[in-house]
Amino acid sequence: MITLTRTGAAENVALITLNRPTALNALCRQLMQELSETLLKVEHDSTYNVIVLTGSEKAFAAGADIKEMAKLEFADVFQKDDFFANWDTLSHITKPVIAAVNGFALGGGTELALMCDIVYAGENAVFGQPEVSIGTIPGLGGTQRWPRFTNKSIAMEICLTGDRLSAQDAKEVGLVSKVFPTQQLIAEAVILADRIAKNSPLIVKTVKKSVNSAYETSLNQGLEVEKHLFQSTFATNDRREGMAAFSEKRAAKWSGN
């Protein structure tokens, strides 16, 4: 249910595609297990620098597999080896992840996109948290990431009504950074991945860690994290190489250490 393709100008971009077309990429156990395994494979492969996560033109992911979920009881979703055991792997990946969202991204589909570092959307993308309409609430970060990435009012409206948001509206509220024609979306995401991949993989990971700290700490705590991470770059060969290359007006040759 997952395909992995090597792409990008330097062949160091991992294009991961959700591939369950008959169910609009509904997030079932098997799909999420395969996605988790693929993400970890790419995470530990130094020949990949950036990840692009996408689905089909019709659906990024139409949500969790409700038929599979409807059979669960409290004990099933509470235990350690529960239905959601592999669902947060994406949020722990240290390499940059770009979501390229076409079509439906509802419920868990939106939450999956929000776990990514950058969200690009096709013009036909639709976001939303419809869980309230089926008697439950978002369980993979919807109620937590929406207010952080947009604001409390928008988060409340989306989660309390189950209303959907178009790609353009999602961009206006800050959920999406750019919107492209549907058939152009993946190419644009790979272009962005290439621009990121030209930089030191080590420093890119450090930037990601620092920016993410802004959502998990106070301003003063975040500034301390940033300062320490900035100082740590002075212990790396890539910092020395980057500054030397700038002074010598040449392209840097990153070693990743």
Side-chain angles (χ1 to χ4, degrees):
M1 295 184 179
I2 298 294
T3 64
L4 171 61
T5 307
R6 186 179 292 276
T7 188
E11 297 268 306
N12 58 1
V13 175
L15 177 62
I16 299 177
T17 305
L18 309 184
N19 186 35
R20 194 187 177 200
T22 56
L24 296 178
N25 292 330
L27 308 177
C28 62
R29 286 179 189 266
Q30 180 183 340
L31 186 150
M32 295 308 296
Q33 175 65 34
E34 290 183 22
L35 177 59
S36 178
E37 291 171 356
T38 304
L39 286 166
L40 292 174
K41 175 183 177 180
V42 172
E43 172 79 351
H44 296 118
D45 187 338
S46 62
T47 64
Y48 290 111
N49 288 4
V50 184
I51 299 167
V52 174
L53 179 64
T54 193
S56 67
E57 287 189 2
K58 192 172 183 179
F60 176 73
D65 190 326
I66 302 304
K67 291 181 180 178
E68 191 173 65
M69 190 181 293
K71 298 177 282 188
L72 303 176
E73 299 292 340
F74 172 76
D76 300 313
V77 296
F78 183 76
Q79 294 178 85
K80 186 175 181 181
D81 58 341
D82 67 313
F83 183 81
F84 301 108
N86 302 300
W87 288 46
D88 66 344
T89 299
L90 180 56
S91 63
H92 298 293
I93 297 300
T94 63
K95 296 178 179 180
V97 184
I98 303 164
V101 180
N102 270 323
F104 296 112
L106 302 174
T110 287
E111 291 171 305
L112 199 65
L114 295 186
M115 291 182 197
C116 298
D117 303 304
I118 299 170
V119 182
Y120 273 10
E123 291 173 334
N124 69 336
V126 180
F127 299 87
Q129 301 294 159
E131 290 86 351
V132 68
S133 65
I134 60 169
T136 187
I137 72 169
L140 294 168
T143 64
Q144 301 304 301
R145 290 190 173 98
W146 272 89
R148 283 172 167 81
F149 298 166
T150 60
N151 60 53
K152 179 183 176 182
S153 181
I154 290 170
M156 284 290 191
E157 182 174 348
I158 291 296
C159 293
L160 289 173
T161 64
D163 286 351
R164 298 178 179 185
L165 214 59
S166 69
Q168 195 58 47
D169 287 342
K171 181 178 182 296
E172 289 180 6
V173 300
L175 203 70
V176 166
S177 58
K178 292 183 181 179
V179 177
F180 297 97
T182 300
Q183 295 182 338
Q184 188 181 331
L185 175 66
I186 294 177
E188 292 290 345
V190 172
I191 289 172
L192 174 62
D194 276 339
R195 287 165 51 202
I196 296 170
K198 289 179 180 178
N199 299 306
S200 159
L202 176 63
I203 302 304
V204 163
K205 286 183 179 182
T206 306
V207 170
K208 173 172 174 171
K209 183 175 182 179
S210 187
V211 173
N212 280 339
S213 72
Y215 291 95
E216 298 166 359
T217 62
S218 68
L219 176 59
N220 285 336
Q221 291 170 324
L223 290 172
E224 281 297 308
V225 170
E226 181 186 74
K227 181 175 71 175
H228 291 314
L229 289 173
F230 166 75
Q231 291 168 343
S232 74
T233 66
F234 283 76
T236 68
N237 290 326
D238 279 355
R239 194 279 309 169
R240 286 187 283 272
E241 167 62 13
M243 292 188 177
F246 177 82
S247 299
E248 297 164 11
K249 296 182 170 56
R250 61 174 175 81
K253 297 179 181 179
W254 309 118
S255 61
N257 56 55

